[in-house]
Amino acid sequence: MEKKKSEHNTNELLVFTYKNRKPLMLTGLIAGVVSIIVSLFLPVLYRSDAIVFPAATSTVSFNALSNAKASSMDFGEEENAEQLIQILQSSPLRNRIINEFNLAKVYDIDPKDKSYHYKLGKAYKSHINFERTRFGSINISVLDEDPELAANIANKIVQLIDTVKNDLIKERTVPALEINKRKLNQLKDAQEKLNEEMDSLSQLGVVDAKSRSSLFAALNEAKTAEDKAFFKNQIEVNLKYGARYDALSDLREFRIEKLTDQEVSYEQAESDAVENFNHKFVVEYAVPSDKKAKPKRMIIVLVYTFAAVLLMFIALLIRERVRTIKHAI
């Protein structure tokens, strides 16, 4: 029963379509002609693409025990790619591109317009796109009426990746460098004062614990009164200051290790704050395209024509249904 009903409805639609074939065909013809004319007035856009891989690390490690994967030669993974996309979409990079290529003029946006920033941002996003590929790389795509300009913008974005990211890194690493430098200087000053005190004790005759034990033997072996007086004086000085000298000696060894670690930390901070690192691998630079990317006129004509015919079909169907209801009443 349901099958017969479905076939009946289908037949009704076919009959309805055939009866209204003329207005539907006329609608399709008009829509086709109008969409062809409209598509001819649409600006022709050319597309240029640049492909980059994120680097796994943005620094050179001075620690010999650092993870082997944190090598400057390693390609980044998904997290690095997502971070790179955030850099590409950031306002510092966007503003530099807009200013350098005067995109407000290119996109014909009046700076006095109340919605200037909104329109400029919308135009920027519609012409410049960043997408992570299934291989983990980032595709930088730029559309423009001028193929040379599209390629230049894409390549400039590639160059600015390092500039913008290094600027962001330096906001944190420069203060860190100052802290490390201050701490290193404090340790050096403390070490210098410790050495000066140990030198003063050495000038008084204080020796290390190993040498101190031989003073008594030297006193017993002394043959002259002058030598005995000398060694006796040395023993008294070492008994008085020996403990202090030993404490300073142990403290010096501890501080030497700490100073060495701090020097490594300072070298790391200096490298991070001063050096400008490359944060990406450029797989492919953009080149001017010799084939238009937009508009796809055939697709525009087909879509608009089909949409117009469909809307006309629905309108005729509604009109027919209204007539049926009126006759029933």
Side-chain angles (χ1 to χ4, degrees):
M1 185 70 179
E2 291 181 359
K3 185 177 181 181
K4 289 183 178 180
K5 186 176 180 181
S6 177
E7 290 178 354
H8 177 70
N9 291 336
T10 303
N11 290 334
E12 280 188 349
L13 284 175
L14 291 174
V15 171
F16 174 79
T17 303
Y18 181 76
K19 286 173 60 180
N20 294 280
R21 63 188 183 279
K22 289 184 178 180
L24 291 173
M25 291 174 65
L26 182 61
T27 300
L29 180 62
I30 294 173
V33 172
V34 171
S35 60
I36 289 173
I37 295 172
V38 171
S39 66
L40 291 174
F41 283 96
L42 292 176
V44 176
L45 298 177
Y46 295 88
R47 173 175 169 173
S48 288
D49 295 308
I51 300 175
V52 298
F53 265 102
T57 179
S58 299
T59 184
V60 175
S61 177
F62 287 80
N63 187 355
L65 300 178
S66 63
N67 192 337
K69 283 186 69 65
S71 168
S72 58
M73 298 182 293
D74 290 336
F75 286 83
E77 298 180 355
E78 181 178 350
E79 182 180 357
N80 303 105
E82 294 295 337
Q83 291 174 353
L84 185 57
I85 287 180
Q86 290 297 313
I87 296 294
L88 289 167
Q89 293 176 339
S90 66
S91 58
L93 189 147
R94 181 175 64 250
N95 292 338
R96 292 192 187 201
I97 293 296
I98 289 173
N99 292 332
E100 180 157 345
F101 293 96
N102 196 10
L103 294 186
K105 183 177 181 181
V106 173
Y107 301 149
D108 194 23
I109 299 173
D110 186 1
K112 297 180 181 179
D113 194 315
K114 292 182 179 180
S115 304
Y116 168 74
H117 293 290
Y118 169 76
K119 291 180 178 179
L120 184 57
K122 188 176 180 181
Y124 182 92
K125 290 181 180 179
S126 66
H127 287 80
I128 300 174
N129 183 55
F130 311 107
E131 183 181 11
R132 187 167 67 87
T133 70
R134 61 190 180 93
F135 303 107
S137 61
I138 307 297
N139 185 66
I140 301 169
S141 175
V142 180
L143 289 168
D144 199 86
E145 296 180 36
D146 183 356
E148 288 283 348
L149 181 59
N152 291 338
I153 291 175
N155 289 328
K156 188 62 181 180
I157 290 173
V158 172
Q159 294 175 14
L160 286 177
I161 289 173
D162 296 329
T163 303
V164 172
K165 190 167 184 180
N166 282 324
D167 288 346
L168 293 174
I169 289 173
K170 281 179 172 53
E171 289 181 5
R172 290 180 56 85
T173 55
V174 170
L177 173 62
E178 294 301 320
I179 294 171
N180 274 276
K181 185 178 180 180
R182 185 167 64 249
K183 183 64 176 177
L184 181 61
N185 290 333
Q186 289 174 352
L187 288 173
K188 284 182 176 180
D189 291 341
Q191 186 71 357
E192 187 175 348
K193 290 179 181 179
L194 189 151
N195 289 334
E196 288 176 356
E197 185 175 356
M198 290 187 71
D199 289 341
S200 299
L201 293 175
S202 295
Q203 289 175 4
L204 292 174
V206 182
V207 294
D208 59 79
K210 185 177 180 180
S211 301
R212 202 176 303 144
S213 61
S214 63
L215 290 175
F216 291 95
L219 177 63
N220 293 330
E221 294 176 359
K223 296 180 179 180
T224 64
E226 185 179 350
D227 288 343
K228 287 183 178 182
F230 171 76
F231 286 115
K232 187 177 181 180
N233 181 65
Q234 288 293 95
I235 290 171
E236 290 177 355
V237 170
N238 277 273
L239 287 174
K240 185 177 181 179
Y241 298 109
R244 176 62 178 171
Y245 187 90
D246 292 342
L248 291 175
S249 180
D250 291 339
L251 181 59
R252 181 175 63 178
E253 294 300 321
F254 170 76
R255 284 186 175 175
I256 286 174
E257 293 182 5
K258 194 171 182 180
L259 184 60
T260 301
D261 293 339
Q262 186 61 39
E263 285 175 343
V264 173
S265 179
Y266 175 76
E267 288 176 353
Q268 182 71 68
E270 184 181 37
S271 174
D272 293 342
V274 175
E275 299 298 328
N276 290 319
F277 292 100
N278 192 324
H279 303 281
K280 87 283 181 185
F281 298 91
V282 182
V283 179
E284 182 178 339
Y285 283 102
V287 294
S289 176
D290 55 2
K291 183 179 180 181
K292 69 176 184 179
K294 289 183 178 182
K296 303 291 185 182
R297 292 193 173 93
M298 182 59 70
I299 295 176
I300 292 173
V301 171
L302 290 175
V303 169
Y304 277 91
T305 301
F306 176 78
V309 171
L310 181 61
L311 289 173
M312 177 57 73
F313 181 83
I314 293 171
L316 292 172
L317 196 61
I318 292 172
R319 188 185 67 174
E320 184 67 22
R321 182 62 61 182
V322 169
R323 285 179 178 177
T324 304
I325 292 171
K326 285 183 177 180
H327 284 304
I329 294 173

